[in-house]
C-alpha cells in the first residue's frame, strides 16, 4: 500500500506532489498548492492541450 494521498477529485497525475508546473492553473503540483489533487488528469493531458491551443490563439508563438 502506498503512503501517497489519493486525489479527492478522482484525477490521476504522476507529477502530483512534485514542483512541476500545472498546465491548467500555472501553480506547481506540490501537495501545498494542490492539496486535493491535480487540476487535470494525466489521461486527458494531450487532448486538453490541443483544445487549449485552439481556444487561446494568444498563446501561439509570435512571428
Amino acid at each position: 500500500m502506498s503512503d501517497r494521498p489519493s486525489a479527492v477529485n478522482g484525477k490521476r497525475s504522476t507529477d502530483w506532489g512534485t514542483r512541476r508546473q500545472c498546465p491548467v492553473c500555472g501553480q506547481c503540483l506540490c501537495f501545498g498548492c494542490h492539496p486535493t489533487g491535480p487540476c487535470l488528469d494525466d489521461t486527458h493531458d494531450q487532448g486538453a492541450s490541443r483544445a487549449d491551443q485552439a481556444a487561446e490563439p494568444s498563446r501561439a508563438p509570435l512571428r
Side-chain angles (χ1 to χ4, degrees):
M1 187 158 177
S2 175
D3 60 346
R4 184 181 171 122
S6 297
V8 296
N9 56 8
K11 297 180 180 180
R12 301 177 194 184
S13 175
T14 54
D15 293 332
W16 186 36
T18 68
R19 301 288 292 167
R20 289 196 174 183
Q21 185 178 17
C22 177
V24 177
C25 69
Q27 293 182 315
C28 73
L29 289 165
C30 73
F31 297 128
C33 293
H34 285 84
T36 59
C39 294
L40 187 67
D41 191 330
D42 276 350
T43 60
H44 296 87
D45 279 350
Q46 292 183 5
S49 64
R50 279 188 230 122
D52 288 345
Q53 289 173 358
E56 294 188 40
S58 62
R59 287 187 158 183
L62 299 174
R63 293 182 186 202

